[in-house]
Amino acid sequence: MPRKPRKGDVAADEAVYGAIRRAMHMGRLSPGTKLQEPALARVLGVSRERVRKALHRLVHEGWLTAIPNRGTFVPSLTVEEMREIYDVRSMLEGAIVRRLSESHSAVAARRLKAHVAEEKAATRRADRGRLFELSGEFHVLLAELCGNDELTRLLRGLLIRSTMHFSIAAPQQFTNCAGPHDHGDIAEAILSGRADRAAKLMLGHLTGLVDLQAGRPARNQPVDLQVAFRGIDGQPAQSTGSRRP
Amino acid sequence: MPRKPRKGDVAADEAVYGAIRRAMHMGRLSPGTKLQEPALARVLGVSRERVRKALHRLVHEGWLTAIPNRGTFVPSLTVEEMREIYDVRSMLEGAIVRRLSESHSAVAARRLKAHVAEEKAATRRADRGRLFELSGEFHVLLAELCGNDELTRLLRGLLIRSTMHFSIAAPQQFTNCAGPHDHGDIAEAILSGRADRAAKLMLGHLTGLVDLQAGRPARNQPVDLQVAFRGIDGQPAQSTGSRRP
DNA sequence: ACGTCAAGAAATGTGCACATTCTGTTGGAG
DNA sequence: CTCCAACAGAATGTGCACATTTCTTGACGT
C-alpha cells in the first residue's frame, strides 16, 4: 500500500492536481481524452471528491474543458488558439525586454547571466529534460526581474498554456524553445542596453516557436488512464500563491 | 416542448457566484470581511456546498483569499498591488493601441467611433452608472478589435481587478476612468494612425488612474452580510417572513 | 437490413452528516 | 489584576449515499 490519505492533508489536493498536470505535461493524455472521476480516483488512490476538486480547478485554469453532466476532457488546442497565446506573449515580453534593457539592477544582470550559463551547460550535457525546464524559466525570469508579481503570475500562466500545446501536440520532442542561442542573444541585448534589438529578437524568437509547432497537428488516440498515470504519483506540485489579507 | 426548470440547474452556481461578485463590485464588502459559508447560504437561500463552490472559484480567480481551516476573506489590496496591475495593463494596452494604430478594419473604426460617441452621450446625460460601465468596456473593446480572444479574456481579468480596487477603496465615487476626454483622444490618435501618440496617451491615461486612487486608503469596517446582500440575488427573493429555525 | 426506442448500467451532480480545527470565554493560579 | 489553560460553541473540511442524467446494449417494428 503506497500511502493512505491522512487527516487534513492539504498536500493531497496538490498531489492530485500535480499528477494530472504532470501527465498532461508528459504528453500521456491525448486531446479528447475523457477524465473519468471514478477511474482517476482508483488509479491515484484517493477519494472521488478530491479528484473532483482538482478537475474543477484544472477546468477553471483552462487546462481542461468541462461539459455539464458529460465529464471533463483534455482540450484539443487549435493552431489559432496557440497563435493568440503567443501573440499576447509577444506584447508582454516585448515590453518586458524593453524595460529591462532600459534599466536593470546589478543583481538582475547577474541572475540573467547565470541563467544563460546554466542553459549552455545543460546544452553541453545534452540534458534535454533540464533544458526544457530552463527554457521555460528563462521567460519567467525576465518577468521576475521587472519586480512585478502580477506580471510574473500572468506570464507564468501563459507559459503553461504554451507548453501545454507543446506537450499535447509533440510530446516526444523536448525542445521547448528553438534553441539556447536565442536566449543568449536576447540576454546580451538586454545587458548591453539595446532595447530595440532585444525586443526584435524576442519577437522573432516567439514567432519562431509558433512556426515550429504550426505544422504539427495533434492526433486523437484513445488512452488508458491506468498506463497514462503509471509512475506519476503524489509528488506535490508548486503551490499557487495564496495571499493573506 | 420547452424543458421545465429542474432543480439541478447550472444557473444556480452562476447566481451565487454573481451575487458575491456584484456585492464586491458595489462596495458592500469591506476588505478583511470574512465570508462565512453558513451565513452566505442562509442569506442567499442556497445550500452550503453551492456557496462553497462559488467561494473556491472566486478564491482561485483572485477575488478572495482563503486561509485553510480559517475561512475566505475579502482581500485588502495594497497600493503596490494596484500599481502592478496597472503596470501590466500599460504593457498590454500600449501594444494594443500601437497595433490598432498601424492597422485596423473599417468595422473596427466604426465600433470605436460609436463607443466614444456613446460615452459622450452618457456624459451629457450625467449618467454616471452607464459611464462607469462604458469606461471599462472601452479598454475591453480595444482588445476585442485586435481579434484575439485570449488577449480579450486576459485584459478583462485585469480590468476586473482594477475596478475591484475602485469598488473596495472608493465605492461612492463612480468615476471609473478619469474622463471621457482621454478615451476620445486615444481613439482619435488610433484612427489617424499615430501609433506613438496613441501609446503615449494610453500610458498617461493609466498612470493618471493610478494617481487618482493612490491617496485613497481602504478602510476596514465590519459588515453585516444580511444587509450587504440586500437586493442582490440571483433569483427574485422570496418573502422575508418565512424562515426556518 | 436499418433506424428507432427502451431498459439497464455507469458516471456526474448534490445534499447530508460527521470529523477536525479554530475561536471566544470562563475559570483558576500566580 | 493579569496571564494561562481548558472548555464549549461554531465553522471548515471530508467522505458517503442518493438523485439525475447520459451512454450502451439489445430488441422491436417498418
Side-chain angles (χ1 to χ4, degrees), chain B residues 78-96:
Chain B
T78 66
V79 178
E80 187 56 33
E81 289 173 315
M82 185 196 61
R83 283 189 192 279
E84 290 187 350
I85 293 173
Y86 275 94
D87 195 21
V88 178
R89 280 187 60 184
S90 296
M91 291 183 178
L92 276 182
E93 302 199 45
I96 288 172

Side-chain angles (χ1 to χ4, degrees), chain B residues 193-244:
Chain B
R194 302 163 70 181
D196 287 335
R197 172 171 171 79
K200 185 180 177 182
L201 284 175
M202 176 59 84
L203 258 62
H205 177 59
L206 292 175
T207 54
L209 292 180
V210 173
D211 296 338
L212 193 70
Q213 305 178 53
R216 200 178 299 276
R219 69 214 179 284
N220 293 22
Q221 61 182 6
V223 167
D224 182 16
L225 293 180
Q226 183 77 31
V227 297
F229 283 88
R230 184 160 297 168
I232 302 177
D233 232 312
Q235 297 293 336
Q238 54 186 2
S239 61
T240 57
S242 64
R243 190 180 52 168
R244 292 186 309 176

Side-chain angles (χ1 to χ4, degrees), chain A residues 2-213:
Chain A
R3 205 173 50 168
K4 189 110 178 177
R6 301 298 295 271
K7 54 169 183 177
D9 194 1
V10 290
D13 285 335
E14 283 293 321
V16 176
Y17 170 83
I20 302 175
R21 205 172 74 85
R22 215 167 302 132
M24 294 185 67
H25 186 274
M26 295 175 67
R28 302 281 190 88
L29 302 174
S30 300
T33 302
K34 178 178 179 180
L35 296 180
Q36 296 183 3
E37 297 168 2
L40 271 180
R42 188 172 52 247
V43 168
L44 296 177
V46 297
S47 68
R48 190 168 73 94
E49 279 66 26
R50 220 167 272 260
V51 173
R52 215 172 151 64
K53 209 194 307 182
L55 253 46
H56 282 151
R57 178 178 170 189
L58 288 163
V59 165
H60 186 70
E61 287 181 9
W63 285 81
L64 303 174
T65 58
I67 304 177
N69 295 324
R70 298 279 292 275
T72 62
F73 302 85
V74 178
S76 31
L77 290 183
T78 66
V79 177
E80 187 56 32
E81 289 172 316
M82 184 196 62
R83 194 192 62 78
E84 290 186 351
I85 292 174
Y86 276 94
D87 195 20
V88 178
R89 281 187 61 184
S90 296
M91 290 183 178
L92 275 181
E93 302 200 44
I96 287 172
V97 295
R98 281 186 183 279
R99 177 167 306 183
L100 289 178
S101 300
E102 291 166 358
S103 77
H104 55 79
S105 66
V107 181
R110 202 174 55 215
R111 289 184 62 185
L112 192 55
K113 289 177 183 173
H115 186 96
V116 172
E118 200 172 354
E119 277 197 21
K120 287 182 179 176
T123 304
R124 279 196 302 269
R125 296 198 314 270
D127 189 349
R128 312 195 74 168
R130 180 66 180 149
L131 186 59
F132 182 82
E133 291 180 6
L134 287 172
S135 298
E137 286 178 8
F138 174 78
H139 296 267
V140 179
L141 175 63
L142 294 181
E144 281 183 356
L145 296 182
C146 289
N148 188 327
D149 290 341
E150 185 70 24
L151 176 64
T152 304
R153 189 159 32 229
L154 216 67
L155 189 60
R156 180 170 275 135
L158 289 172
L159 196 75
I160 281 175
R161 300 196 59 180
S162 302
T163 60
M164 173 171 65
H165 190 277
F166 252 112
S167 303
I168 291 178
Q172 287 79 11
Q173 184 172 350
F174 269 117
T175 53
N176 189 8
C177 287
H181 314 88
D182 289 1
H183 289 179
D185 294 344
I186 292 171
E188 191 179 358
I190 291 174
L191 295 174
S192 60
R194 302 163 70 181
D196 287 335
R197 173 172 170 78
K200 184 180 177 183
L201 285 175
M202 177 59 84
L203 259 62
H205 177 58
L206 291 175
T207 53
L209 291 181
V210 173
D211 296 338
L212 195 69
Q213 304 178 55

Side-chain angles (χ1 to χ4, degrees), chain B residues 18-235:
Chain B
I20 302 174
R21 204 170 75 83
R22 220 168 301 137
M24 295 185 66
H25 187 272
M26 296 175 68
R28 301 282 190 88
L29 301 174
S30 300
T33 302
K34 178 178 180 180
L35 297 180
Q36 295 182 354
E37 296 168 1
L40 271 179
R42 189 171 51 246
V43 168
L44 296 177
V46 297
S47 69
R48 190 167 74 93
E49 279 66 26
R50 219 168 273 267
V51 173
R52 222 173 143 63
K53 209 194 306 184
L55 287 178
H56 282 150
R57 178 178 171 187
L58 288 163
V59 165
H60 188 72
E61 288 182 5
W63 286 82
L64 303 174
T65 59
I67 304 177
N69 295 325
R70 298 279 292 276
T72 62
F73 301 85
V74 178
S76 40
L77 290 184
T78 66
V79 178
E80 187 56 33
E81 289 173 315
M82 185 196 61
R83 283 189 192 279
E84 290 187 350
I85 293 173
Y86 275 94
D87 195 21
V88 178
R89 280 187 60 184
S90 296
M91 291 183 178
L92 276 182
E93 302 199 45
I96 288 172
V97 295
R98 280 186 183 279
R99 178 167 304 182
L100 288 178
S101 299
E102 291 166 358
S103 75
H104 55 78
S105 65
V107 182
R110 201 174 57 216
R111 288 185 60 183
L112 192 54
K113 288 177 184 174
H115 186 96
V116 172
E118 199 171 356
E119 277 198 22
K120 287 182 179 175
T123 304
R124 280 197 302 271
R125 296 197 314 269
D127 189 350
R128 311 195 73 170
R130 180 65 180 148
L131 187 58
F132 182 81
E133 291 181 4
L134 287 173
S135 298
E137 285 178 8
F138 174 77
H139 296 266
V140 178
L141 175 63
L142 294 182
E144 280 182 356
L145 295 183
C146 288
N148 187 329
D149 290 340
E150 185 70 24
L151 175 64
T152 305
R153 188 159 36 228
L154 217 67
L155 189 61
R156 180 170 277 133
L158 288 172
L159 196 75
I160 280 175
R161 300 196 61 178
S162 304
T163 59
M164 173 171 64
H165 189 277
F166 252 113
S167 303
I168 290 178
Q172 286 78 13
Q173 184 171 350
F174 269 117
T175 55
N176 189 8
C177 286
H181 314 87
D182 288 2
H183 290 179
D185 294 345
I186 292 172
E188 191 179 358
I190 291 174
L191 293 174
S192 60
R194 302 163 70 181
D196 287 335
R197 172 171 171 79
K200 185 180 177 182
L201 284 175
M202 176 59 84
L203 258 62
H205 177 59
L206 292 175
T207 54
L209 292 180
V210 173
D211 296 338
L212 193 70
Q213 305 178 53
R216 200 178 299 276
R219 69 214 179 284
N220 293 22
Q221 61 182 6
V223 167
D224 182 16
L225 293 180
Q226 183 77 31
V227 297
F229 283 88
R230 184 160 297 168
I232 302 177
D233 232 312
Q235 297 293 336

